Amino acid sequence: MERRRTFSREFKFEAVRLVTERGVAVAQAAKDLDVHENVLRKWVRELREEPQEAFPGNGKQKAQDAEIARLRKEVAKLKMERDILKKAAAYFAKESM
């Protein structure tokens, strides 16, 4: 099984700079760097949209992604608590009859 290739933040910046500053076509730059065109286009788009948070690196999340993960975890916890309370309410309702 082939492992997914990883690229350093510096490599991504240089690849994007080839396209944006030097005017090299995306297709040609991708071919020269041995990456897929869509990957290079994604890097260009990511750097244009959020230059400060582009290419966060291994294990680092964008602030928005971290917030989404935290909220999903909280929702799961609240659902579990709700289910426990439903079961307890049903149990006590049955006991009082």
Side-chain angles (χ1 to χ4, degrees), residues 83-97:
D83 292 344
I84 290 171
L85 290 173
K86 276 185 180 179
K87 289 177 184 178
Y91 174 78
F92 288 119
K94 190 168 74 171
E95 287 266 326
S96 64
M97 290 184 164

Side-chain angles (χ1 to χ4, degrees), residues 12-73:
K12 293 176 183 180
F13 275 119
E14 289 300 318
V16 171
R17 218 167 81 201
L18 268 176
V19 174
T20 57
E21 293 177 10
R22 296 189 184 154
V24 178
V26 173
Q28 184 62 44
K31 184 177 178 184
D32 292 344
L33 297 170
D34 192 31
V35 297
H36 197 276
E37 282 183 50
N38 292 341
V39 170
L40 186 53
R41 288 182 204 283
K42 178 181 167 244
W43 292 346
V44 170
R45 183 178 58 244
E46 189 175 338
L47 189 61
R48 282 187 184 143
E49 289 175 358
E50 297 184 57
Q52 298 300 323
E53 293 186 12
F55 321 129
N58 292 338
K60 298 178 185 169
Q61 294 181 327
K62 294 181 181 177
Q64 184 179 10
D65 293 339
E67 177 71 4
I68 289 171
R70 186 188 68 76
L71 291 172
R72 284 186 175 149
K73 193 173 183 179

